[in-house]
Amino acid sequence: MGMLSDIFHKIFPSHHPAVTQAQTAPAAPAPQAAPQQAPAAAPAAPAAATPIEQVDVEQILTTMQQQSGQQLNWRSSIVDLLKLLNLDSSLQARKELASELNYSGDTNDSASMNIWLHKQVMTKLAQNGGKVPADLQD
């Protein structure tokens, strides 16, 4: 994973599925020999899905901003959001994030790309268990 994974690592706790899934690549199942007979026991019932722990992204980022002492507008600026998270906010880094998120627009139009990136990052945070205000999502 790339920059999006870095963002998840900065916001979600280390045990959160958004972080642990980014850390582990799915392993290929080991090939098994075909059994001679069908098992005598009935198959186990599928385990109930455990809900993803929801993380209050707005509270975390607001606290980070207060602790930083910087005047960063993370609510609308991808550059300020990346700065707040102590991540590379350069144009090249944002172009890499745009590529990772399948941005189809012109990366030379940084204003449009930045607006799109911010909304996409907020949406991805929400999709992975982040509590993000609706006005910050796509």
Side-chain angles (χ1 to χ4, degrees), residues 18 68 93:
S68 76

Side-chain angles (χ1 to χ4, degrees), residues 1-6 94-103 116 124:
M1 236 352 177
M3 278 197 73
L4 187 60
S5 176
D6 293 342
R94 286 178 279 130
K95 285 182 177 184
E96 289 171 17
L97 180 59
S99 174
E100 183 179 341
L101 295 173
N102 301 315
Y103 180 61
W116 184 88
K124 293 289 184 188

Side-chain angles (χ1 to χ4, degrees), residues 22-36:
Q23 290 174 344
T24 58
Q32 297 179 348
Q36 297 293 343

Side-chain angles (χ1 to χ4, degrees), residues 7 13 26 28 39 41 46 53 56 65 68 74 78 96-97 101 113 116 118 120-122 124 128-129 131 134-135 138:
I7 292 168
E53 173 189 351
D56 191 339
Q65 180 179 0
S68 76
W74 65 265
I78 189 68
E96 289 171 17
L97 180 59
L101 295 173
M113 180 181 71
W116 184 88
H118 189 271
Q120 286 297 304
V121 167
M122 291 298 161
K124 293 289 184 188
N128 285 278
K131 181 181 170 192
D135 63 320
D138 192 20

Side-chain angles (χ1 to χ4, degrees), residues 18-92:
V19 173
T20 57
Q21 288 174 3
Q23 290 174 344
T24 58
Q32 297 179 348
Q36 297 293 343
Q37 294 180 326
T50 56
I52 294 177
E53 173 189 351
Q54 196 168 39
V55 175
D56 191 339
V57 173
E58 182 178 29
Q59 179 184 7
I60 290 170
L61 294 175
T62 299
T63 300
M64 288 176 80
Q65 180 179 0
Q66 290 168 346
Q67 291 173 348
S68 76
Q70 299 179 60
Q71 293 298 317
L72 298 172
N73 186 10
W74 65 265
R75 292 176 172 278
S76 63
S77 168
I78 189 68
V79 173
D80 284 359
L81 176 62
L82 294 172
K83 284 181 181 180
L84 181 62
L85 297 173
N86 292 316
L87 296 172
D88 185 358
S89 63
S90 69
L91 179 58
Q92 184 58 39

